[in-house]
Amino acid sequence: MKKSAAAFLTAVLCLVLYTVPALAAQEDAAPAGSVTVRELARDKTVEVTGYVVDQSRRDLQAGNLAWQRGQGAPGGMAWSGEDLEILAHVICGEAQNCDDQEQLYVGSVVLNRVNHSAYPGTIRGVVFQKGQYACTRDGNYYRTPTEANYRNARWLLENGSVLPGNVVYQSSHRQGKGVYVQTKHHKYCYR
């Protein structure tokens, strides 16, 4: 497990380290009106997210994931069974019928908020902060999470957010300083 996780994280890191300089060089050489670095980075984020989801599915099917109570994610975030339940429920309430990418984005916003000084420092605190997640008010939070909701919540707790750390808004409209990525369901915005 540790060897495959280390190899996976190394591959993702190499992809990011290779992509950023290449994107900057493309922007410098790009003619007016062409794609910007930000747009290319969004495309790469979608590619990386797709790779992550596929790898997670392969690991899950092969039984290579060892999700345990209190196991820490890379970067030192420890989590509990309660954290897993709350994250799976908010993913269910906000994006139950959406694809894995959308579910990972929703969960990533929660984790980004936990790590941001403007929000409570726990998953429970973030999800139940007054006025933040509609699913806690409209009852959708209390639906039974699917296997995919749990799988994506576990993957996020093990590996961390798939969005940049300052993407802390998920909404149907633009918020904060601008939209990082927009899907057919939500806009994910910078603080």
Side-chain angles (χ1 to χ4, degrees), residues 7-8 27 35 53 73 96 100 104 113 125 144 148 152 163 167:
F8 173 71
E27 183 171 37
V35 177
V53 169
Q96 182 174 37
D100 287 330
L104 289 171
R113 285 181 173 205
T144 303
N152 289 318
L163 295 173
V167 177

Side-chain angles (χ1 to χ4, degrees), residues 164-178:
N166 62 343
V167 177
V168 295
Y169 299 119
Q170 163 224 321
S171 180
S172 60
H173 58 280
R174 182 177 183 224
Q175 293 182 309
K177 293 184 179 175

Side-chain angles (χ1 to χ4, degrees), residues 37-86:
V37 168
R38 179 177 282 177
E39 291 166 333
L40 288 170
R42 285 183 193 153
D43 292 343
K44 285 296 178 191
T45 300
V46 171
E47 288 176 30
V48 170
T49 303
Y51 176 78
V52 165
V53 169
D54 291 343
Q55 182 64 39
S56 179
R57 284 184 183 139
R58 285 192 295 276
D59 285 344
L60 182 64
Q61 290 168 353
N64 290 336
L65 296 177
W67 295 314
Q68 299 169 6
R69 182 180 177 85
Q71 183 170 339
M77 181 180 169
W79 57 275
S80 68
E82 179 186 47
D83 293 331
L84 174 62
E85 284 296 320
I86 293 170

